[in-house]
Amino acid sequence: MEQPARRGHRRVPHTADVRIEAWAPTRAACVAEAVTGLVETFADTAGARPGPERDYQVPAADDEDLLVSVLDEMIYRMETADELPLTTEVADDPAGGLLVRWRMTQTDAVELIGAVPKAVALHELRFGPDGAGWSCAVTVDV
């Protein structure tokens, strides 16, 4: 994947669902970019007020499972607690997992601008190191 910057994300065309690509120098930063990229596909968070911080610890797993776990947790919190992350910080856990910290806002505080995600699809999922750091591509069912 050609990357226009050292860290970023973008939505790419897909027939029926949402597909995002993200890239960053580290695994943890790439996961954070993927979360931000996913939120931007369906919500305009401009003007939303930051609320509580939420932590999520992902146990050690292969890289693709770590990414899916974080995105699934974000979707789950949105569906069950009506919360959406305004910011995402991710750090590597010494045991091989990830430590995620979100600054949340209420879903009714944002403007929905696209289809709300339902689940992460495993088809064509990619996440791993590349020449410039780490990159991922993920499709999300809407």
Side-chain angles (χ1 to χ4, degrees), residues 16-142:
D17 296 313
V18 170
R19 185 151 175 92
I20 57 170
E21 295 176 345
W23 57 92
T26 66
R27 178 179 77 161
C30 190
V31 171
E33 284 294 331
V35 170
T36 302
L38 180 56
V39 170
E40 288 178 0
T41 67
F42 69 93
D44 179 358
T45 60
R49 296 172 46 109
E53 286 187 351
R54 301 284 189 236
D55 293 332
Y56 177 57
Q57 184 166 3
V58 187
D62 70 39
D63 296 324
E64 290 178 345
D65 288 342
L66 292 172
L67 175 64
V68 169
S69 179
V70 172
L71 294 175
D72 277 344
E73 180 69 12
M74 186 211 87
I75 293 168
Y76 173 77
R77 288 176 189 245
M78 184 179 58
E79 291 175 348
T80 62
D82 293 323
E83 294 181 325
L84 189 63
L86 287 178
T87 62
T88 302
E89 296 174 14
V90 182
D92 288 313
D93 178 327
L98 295 173
L99 302 171
V100 181
R101 174 161 286 160
W102 283 303
R103 174 65 74 171
M104 305 301 262
T105 193
Q106 293 296 302
T107 55
D108 62 3
V110 302
E111 180 182 352
L112 295 180
I113 58 171
V116 176
K118 300 294 181 208
V120 177
L122 301 181
H123 181 68
E124 296 183 344
L125 174 66
R126 181 181 48 75
F127 182 42
D130 66 18
W134 284 75
S135 65
C136 69
V138 61
T139 303
V140 179
D141 299 329
V142 294

